[in-house]
């Protein structure tokens, strides 16, 4: 089964579940956006490591950690939005309301801070 929806960037994303295998299918632009953001996070992590190795003032390191967490949360928000607008919507339309429990568990994981 395949469902398509318009994402926040005005592009079509789709999610599908075929033969028990669940996969997301993001447009190339969305994938590139996510990979770019994750590359930036990876660089921030390396930068934090370098700050610690240089004995940088703790408050400055903590500020960089907060910025990195925010960037990673941004990736999660983009993924969650696409998931809700495609995969979850499709499953609800098919009568599969168990997906709501799955989404609630996902929200709990994201809010465990």
């Amino acid at each position: 089964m395949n469902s398509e929806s318009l994402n926040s960037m005005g592009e079509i994303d789709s999610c599908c579940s075929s033969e028990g295998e669940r996969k997301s299918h993001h447009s190339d632009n969305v994938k590139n956006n996510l990979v770019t953001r994750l590359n930036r996070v990876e660089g921030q992590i390396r930068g934090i490591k370098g700050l610690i190795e240089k004995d940088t003032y703790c408050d400055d390191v903590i500020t960089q950690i907060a910025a990195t967490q925010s960037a990673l949360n941004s990736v999660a928000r983009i993924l969650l939005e696409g998931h809700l607008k495609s995969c979850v919507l499709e499953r609800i339309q098919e009568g599969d309301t168990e997906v709501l429990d799955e989404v609630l568990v996902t929200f709990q994981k994201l809010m465990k801070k």
Side-chain angles (χ1 to χ4, degrees), residues 59-78:
D59 192 56
D60 295 338
V61 176
I62 292 167
T63 298
Q64 290 306 310
I65 290 170
T68 303
Q69 287 172 328
S70 178
L72 200 51
N73 286 341
S74 179
V75 171
R77 276 192 301 274
I78 291 167

Side-chain angles (χ1 to χ4, degrees), residues 4-63:
E4 294 183 341
S5 67
L6 211 54
N7 65 26
S8 62
M9 296 175 65
E11 298 162 335
I12 295 197
D13 268 349
S14 65
C15 262
C16 72
S17 178
S18 61
E19 300 175 22
E21 182 183 0
R22 297 187 307 180
K23 279 188 160 183
S24 62
H25 300 281
H26 303 289
S27 68
D28 288 340
N29 285 341
V30 171
K31 272 190 209 179
N32 290 338
N33 179 19
L34 292 171
V35 168
T36 297
R37 288 171 182 269
L38 289 170
N39 286 339
R40 195 172 305 131
V41 168
E42 187 177 22
Q44 287 174 301
I45 296 290
R46 282 193 304 273
I48 291 167
K49 182 180 172 187
L51 292 175
I52 290 172
E53 290 171 344
K54 295 175 190 171
D55 295 321
T56 302
Y57 185 63
C58 295
D59 192 56
D60 295 338
V61 176
I62 292 167
T63 298

